[in-house]
Amino acid sequence: VGGSAARVSRAAPRRVRARRGEGEKLKEQILEAAERLLVVTEDEEAVSIRAVAEAVGVTPPSIYLHFEDKDDLLVAVCERRFAQLDRALEEAGADALDPVGALIERGRAYVRFGLEYPELYRILFLRRVGPRPIRADRTRDVAAFDHHLAAVSAAVESGAMKGDPLLVAVGLWAAVHGITSLLITKPHFEWPELDPLIDHVLHTQIRGLSTPDTEGGTT
Amino acid sequence: VGGSAARVSRAAPRRVRARRGEGEKLKEQILEAAERLLVVTEDEEAVSIRAVAEAVGVTPPSIYLHFEDKDDLLVAVCERRFAQLDRALEEAGADALDPVGALIERGRAYVRFGLEYPELYRILFLRRVGPRPIRADRTRDVAAFDHHLAAVSAAVESGAMKGDPLLVAVGLWAAVHGITSLLITKPHFEWPELDPLIDHVLHTQIRGLSTPDTEGGTT
DNA sequence: TGTACATCAGTGAACGCGCGTTCACTGATGTAC
DNA sequence: TGTACATCAGTGAACGCGCGTTCACTGATGTAC
């Protein structure tokens, strides 16, 4: 089996065909290529079935061996990144000393994620929903929001914050989402310096939600 | 001249050709049709040159008599709405009793605008910027932001609020933009009741920005 | 008052493009006998 | 150990579509003489 390996390098095939039973490898490569295209071009429209196929080194119909249609592929890409965002937030919050500090660290990580993958963020959070509600709605992003809600509840239960946890969670999300999306969609605006701006947004929120006796104690 | 008016109703022409010197009428009709299409379909992609032309009752090439290309048309639509948003905010703030109250009313009006024209809002604030920076950037939306900044400065100067006006203005914008865009792009999410949610976002901001002695006095 | 003519407000047909998707196929590879 | 065969991982060519845009034109209308 090892003796005939010298034949491989002829006529420059872009990709070696997977062996029997290893068809799933292509699925992974397609997902990676689609995501890479999205990150590199920062343009959802550049991610066509044809472009993804070419990036993988395969013909367009091959995509349909693993994905029902184009939307199915994009949703799959989103689900992976939602999962990654969720993990990033959980890890950022885990190192904090107290629940309020955890919220701040989670917020910073959220903005960081958005600025690192702006086009993915656009697809996840700024796109209009299509005719069929995006399937990911019922899976990964709900998990991420549940974790966020849990982090907020912990802060409220610690006594450092007051308010209805759901309202507070949505409000915090709105604040970090607001600054993240503005930074992404309005790059030509003359923004103040980035870190002070993010800190201002987070601390204004926290201060607005703090109970009077603990106020200012977690800056 | 009045005697031959009976001839008009033959063969159902979709639009009467403008008279000499009245060519600008078409420009206005195109703008209105494009905006109406955007509002009705809630889908930017549905607004093609062809669709706009048909809505006006004219052939596609006629659009090019008044607009350089498709982008030029969309930008023109945006500029009109930016101007309208600006006016709506100014009017909302004018009726308030004090500067902080004015900020709250401006915030409510902003969210209302977004929810009333979601697809226009998407184009104004959620789209990625194209290869050429959108020309409206340097005109209408800057005027709107300047007015916002002035409203914030008034609140800071009144002593009810503290902080760098620019940071505060951007932070407030981020908060209202955040909740507006989430409501638009995630309609399937189980949101809390709308008015309490918006009030929560606005009052959390205001409370987070208030000077200690005036805190809670403007709810 | 009559008429040639420049101008204006459009039209009709066509261009090339890239897209998502389908369909019949091919050729390597593992497996059953 | 040899061979027929089912299966698997793809390919090649084509489909129809709607799009933005261009180009040469037409016919009504106001104006100059």
Side-chain angles (χ1 to χ4, degrees), chain A:
Chain A
V1 189
S4 58
R7 277 190 199 166
V8 168
S9 59
R10 64 182 260 203
R14 285 183 305 188
R15 198 186 97 99
V16 283
R17 195 196 203 88
R19 326 247 317 229
R20 277 282 275 284
E22 296 180 340
E24 288 296 301
K25 279 185 180 172
L26 178 55
K27 182 165 194 171
E28 190 59 26
Q29 292 176 341
I30 291 171
L31 284 170
E32 278 167 13
E35 203 172 300
R36 202 167 51 240
L37 264 176
L38 222 38
V39 169
V40 169
T41 66
E42 294 198 1
D43 181 1
E44 185 184 354
E45 283 171 38
V47 184
S48 61
I49 292 281
R50 294 169 132 94
V52 172
E54 203 198 335
V56 177
V58 111
T59 60
S62 302
I63 307 288
Y64 293 90
L65 296 172
H66 296 285
F67 299 94
E68 218 178 278
D69 52 28
K70 194 190 175 184
D71 201 53
D72 191 34
L73 168 58
L74 287 182
V75 167
V77 172
C78 287
E79 279 188 10
R80 300 173 106 220
R81 282 300 174 183
F82 257 123
Q84 188 195 325
L85 170 60
D86 186 30
R87 280 197 303 276
L89 297 187
E90 289 293 290
E91 284 167 18
D95 297 337
L97 298 173
D98 60 298
V100 171
L103 284 180
I104 289 182
E105 288 310 316
R106 291 177 62 93
R108 288 208 179 101
Y110 185 98
V111 179
R112 227 180 294 130
F113 176 89
L115 297 184
E116 195 169 353
Y117 305 107
E119 194 61 19
L120 279 165
Y121 191 87
R122 265 200 69 250
I123 296 181
L124 294 182
F125 293 113
L126 303 182
R127 237 185 11 164
R128 76 164 184 291
V129 295
R132 43 171 145 169
I134 295 178
R135 278 162 288 189
D137 265 12
R138 299 290 104 209
T139 59
R140 291 300 190 180
D141 61 345
V142 165
F145 186 78
D146 283 350
H147 288 149
H148 174 51
L149 188 54
V152 168
S153 297
V156 171
E157 278 160 22
S158 80
M161 261 186 183
K162 61 182 180 182
D164 170 31
L166 181 57
L167 267 184
V168 172
V170 170
L172 266 167
W173 183 20
V176 291
H177 165 70
I179 193 62
T180 305
S181 59
L182 284 181
L183 288 169
I184 289 174
T185 61
K186 299 285 178 192
H188 300 298
F189 191 88
E190 290 159 22
W191 297 110
E193 220 183 317
L194 196 61
D195 286 339
L197 174 58
I198 294 166
D199 278 6
H200 168 82
V201 167
L202 288 170
H203 286 122
T204 300
Q205 276 289 312
I206 297 302
R207 193 161 177 272
L209 296 165
S210 295
T211 47
D213 41 312
T214 62
E215 192 171 303
T218 41
T219 37

Side-chain angles (χ1 to χ4, degrees), chain B residues 34-170:
Chain B
E35 202 173 300
R36 204 166 49 240
L37 264 176
L38 222 40
V39 170
V40 169
T41 65
E42 294 198 3
D43 181 1
E44 185 184 354
E45 285 173 38
V47 184
S48 60
I49 292 280
R50 294 168 131 93
V52 172
E54 203 199 334
V56 177
V58 114
T59 59
S62 302
I63 306 289
Y64 294 88
L65 297 174
H66 297 283
F67 299 94
E68 218 178 279
D69 52 27
K70 192 188 176 184
D71 202 51
D72 191 34
L73 169 57
L74 288 182
V75 167
V77 172
C78 287
E79 278 189 9
R80 301 174 105 223
R81 282 301 175 183
F82 257 124
Q84 188 194 325
L85 171 60
D86 187 28
R87 279 197 304 275
L89 298 187
E90 289 293 289
E91 285 167 18
D95 296 338
L97 298 174
D98 61 298
V100 171
L103 284 179
I104 290 183
E105 289 310 315
R106 290 177 64 93
R108 288 208 178 102
Y110 186 98
V111 179
R112 228 180 295 130
F113 177 90
L115 298 183
E116 195 171 353
Y117 306 107
E119 194 62 17
L120 278 165
Y121 192 87
R122 265 200 67 250
I123 295 180
L124 294 182
F125 294 113
L126 303 182
R127 238 183 13 163
R128 75 165 185 288
V129 294
R132 43 172 144 169
I134 294 180
R135 279 161 288 187
D137 265 13
R138 296 293 104 208
T139 58
R140 290 301 189 179
D141 62 344
V142 164
F145 186 79
D146 283 349
H147 289 149
H148 174 51
L149 188 55
V152 167
S153 296
V156 171
E157 278 160 23
S158 81
M161 262 185 183
K162 61 182 182 184
D164 170 30
L166 181 58
L167 267 184
V168 171
V170 170

